[in-house]
Amino acid sequence: ASDLNAVEGAWEHERNCPLQFVAMQQEPDELPEFVIERYKYILEQIHTVNENVYRFLAIFQTIATALVTAALALFVGYSKWSIAAATARDGVTGVLVLITILAAFTVLMVIVGIASWFDYRQEECDLLTRYFSADFRSRPRLRNFFRWYETYIVLFVVMITVLLWILGEALLIPKIR
């Protein structure tokens, strides 16, 4: 019973799944140890998937900042370094391409994380339905995407990438002569 109480607090922190208190089909003391351990594992994996999104965002921000700094250094110093204007323009464009590839990778990893989260949540609901009662937790729905922070992280990454292309093409590249 204490194992079940330990994971009960984690239920409240999951998104889009309000806890519905209904009669249990089995008493907590009758649950096989495997079920409790599997449930703990599922909650741990959901937590890890959620943390990974922030790791990918941090990696994107760090590398994008370094690449933008490199592009600005190239813009400011190309004439002092005796770099041809065409080469400097190609360098800035190359940095923008690298940022786009980085953004695509970040968005892909977030989408993979969403798919993994969805699978773990489905498995959690199956386990709870089998050992407690039907609809103990509602299943996740894709139509709730506007409530997921991953949606806004993907939008942020895409908007930053588009903004960098606009600024690079409108402000930096035309001034490299």
Side-chain angles (χ1 to χ4, degrees):
S2 65
D3 288 332
L4 202 53
N5 291 336
V7 295
E8 188 174 49
W11 291 343
E12 297 177 75
H13 296 290
E14 289 303 316
R15 60 176 173 221
N16 302 330
C17 300
L19 201 57
Q20 300 173 358
F21 293 99
V22 293
M24 292 172 40
Q25 293 175 352
Q26 288 183 279
E27 292 299 316
D29 295 334
E30 297 174 12
L31 287 175
E33 183 68 23
F34 170 77
V35 173
I36 294 170
E37 291 303 317
R38 184 65 187 168
Y39 189 66
K40 286 180 182 179
Y41 174 78
I42 291 168
L43 291 178
E44 182 182 311
Q45 292 305 306
I46 289 170
H47 178 72
T48 300
V49 166
N50 288 339
E51 283 183 340
N52 285 343
V53 171
Y54 291 111
R55 286 187 184 117
F56 292 126
L57 179 61
I59 290 169
F60 172 78
Q61 288 175 317
T62 303
I63 296 174
T65 301
L67 289 171
V68 167
T69 302
L72 290 174
L74 182 59
F75 172 73
V76 169
Y78 78 95
S79 60
K80 291 180 198 171
W81 301 330
S82 302
I83 296 174
T87 304
R89 284 191 297 274
D90 290 344
V92 171
T93 302
V95 166
L96 292 172
V97 168
L98 288 174
I99 290 172
T100 304
I101 292 168
L102 176 64
F105 175 76
T106 303
V107 168
L108 177 66
M109 290 296 102
V110 171
I111 290 170
V112 167
I114 291 170
S116 294
W117 175 86
F118 220 79
D119 288 343
Y120 282 119
R121 279 287 291 117
Q122 294 288 358
E123 185 176 351
E124 177 189 19
C125 290
D126 291 343
L127 187 135
L128 291 173
T129 297
R130 180 170 179 194
Y131 289 99
F132 291 96
S133 71
D135 298 325
F136 189 77
R137 293 216 38 200
S138 58
R139 292 192 177 276
R141 293 181 293 250
L142 285 175
R143 70 176 182 216
N144 290 332
F145 75 95
F146 62 91
R147 296 181 185 169
W148 302 344
Y149 61 89
E150 291 93 344
T151 301
Y152 301 101
I153 289 174
V154 166
L155 287 174
F156 170 78
V157 169
V158 169
M159 287 178 9
I160 289 298
T161 304
V162 169
L163 179 66
L164 289 174
W165 271 100
I166 290 169
L167 292 174
E169 291 289 334
L171 297 178
L172 294 183
I173 292 175
K175 292 183 181 177
I176 299 175
R177 297 179 204 153

